[in-house]
Amino acid sequence: MVDFFLERTAPLPLDEAWRRLTRWHRHGDGVPLTRVTVVTPGPTREGTRLVARSGIGPFGVDDRMEVTVWRPPAGDQPGRCRLEKRGRLIRGWAELEVRPGPGGRARVLWREELRVRFLPSVFDPLLERTARTVFGRTVNKLLRRA
């Protein structure tokens, strides 16, 4: 099991940073060989389910998630979203928070606990570095694109 934390500051209002980060299908743009599909009808709310499928053809892994907390930002009030990972192989959770930052910017906090079944703990340092790098790049891309 690995835990990691990312923090970014973006020159965006809170609601725009939130909108960019919660367009789930766009998350696949930053994760190699991954496509994200929202399984339930929109808009996103508690109970929304999504699947991030990573792989090629029939050879892949599904990261099944459900939104368990959905509080978009309102005015200067922070927004918070929690995704519970409920797949057979990938478990854990991810939390996304968007709050006011310096100079009217948005401060983004991303926390994640990631467990991969059958992966020995000796691989945790590599998994943590890889996850931090991939999710860091993804968050950066999402915040830069309108």
Side-chain angles (χ1 to χ4, degrees), residues 24 36-51 64-68 83:
W24 306 120
V36 178
T37 304
V38 179
V39 178
T40 52
T44 299
R45 63 192 176 288
E46 289 180 13
T48 294
R49 293 186 322 271
L50 46 136
V51 178
R64 298 181 182 281
M65 296 167 269
E66 182 176 342
V67 175
T68 58
L83 297 160

Side-chain angles (χ1 to χ4, degrees), residues 41-104:
T44 299
R45 63 192 176 288
E46 289 180 13
T48 294
R49 293 186 322 271
L50 46 136
V51 178
R53 174 136 181 103
S54 298
I56 299 174
F59 305 103
V61 174
D62 289 339
D63 182 1
R64 298 181 182 281
M65 296 167 269
E66 182 176 342
V67 175
T68 58
V69 174
W70 180 256
R71 287 196 318 257
D76 284 341
Q77 295 299 309
R80 183 169 170 260
C81 175
R82 182 177 174 100
L83 297 160
E84 295 285 338
K85 296 175 171 286
R86 299 192 167 152
R88 282 186 260 157
L89 289 176
I90 301 174
R91 305 292 286 195
W93 51 265
E95 287 185 346
L96 163 66
E97 191 172 330
V98 177
R99 57 179 46 240

Side-chain angles (χ1 to χ4, degrees), residues 1-145:
M1 175 180 73
V2 300
D3 292 298
F4 64 94
F5 173 76
L6 303 168
E7 184 173 0
R8 301 291 189 267
T9 302
L12 299 168
L14 293 184
D15 59 343
E16 179 61 16
W18 178 264
R19 186 186 71 78
R20 291 181 187 193
L21 291 167
T22 60
R23 287 189 297 174
W24 306 120
H25 67 281
R26 297 292 299 272
H27 283 241
D29 295 348
V31 182
L33 304 173
T34 299
R35 186 185 64 197
V36 178
T37 304
V38 179
V39 178
T40 52
T44 299
R45 63 192 176 288
E46 289 180 13
T48 294
R49 293 186 322 271
L50 46 136
V51 178
R53 174 136 181 103
S54 298
I56 299 174
F59 305 103
V61 174
D62 289 339
D63 182 1
R64 298 181 182 281
M65 296 167 269
E66 182 176 342
V67 175
T68 58
V69 174
W70 180 256
R71 287 196 318 257
D76 284 341
Q77 295 299 309
R80 183 169 170 260
C81 175
R82 182 177 174 100
L83 297 160
E84 295 285 338
K85 296 175 171 286
R86 299 192 167 152
R88 282 186 260 157
L89 289 176
I90 301 174
R91 305 292 286 195
W93 51 265
E95 287 185 346
L96 163 66
E97 191 172 330
V98 177
R99 57 179 46 240
R105 301 163 74 103
R107 184 170 165 225
V108 174
L109 309 172
W110 183 289
R111 297 174 193 90
E112 188 152 345
E113 177 187 281
L114 182 60
R115 297 186 306 270
V116 180
R117 285 185 67 192
F118 311 117
L119 186 67
S121 61
V122 69
F123 291 105
D124 283 355
L126 177 61
L127 178 60
E128 191 264 335
R129 279 192 307 275
T130 302
R132 181 185 305 277
T133 299
V134 169
F135 285 105
R137 287 180 185 164
T138 300
V139 168
N140 292 346
K141 274 187 177 183
L142 291 169
L143 290 171
R144 280 194 303 260
R145 290 188 183 166

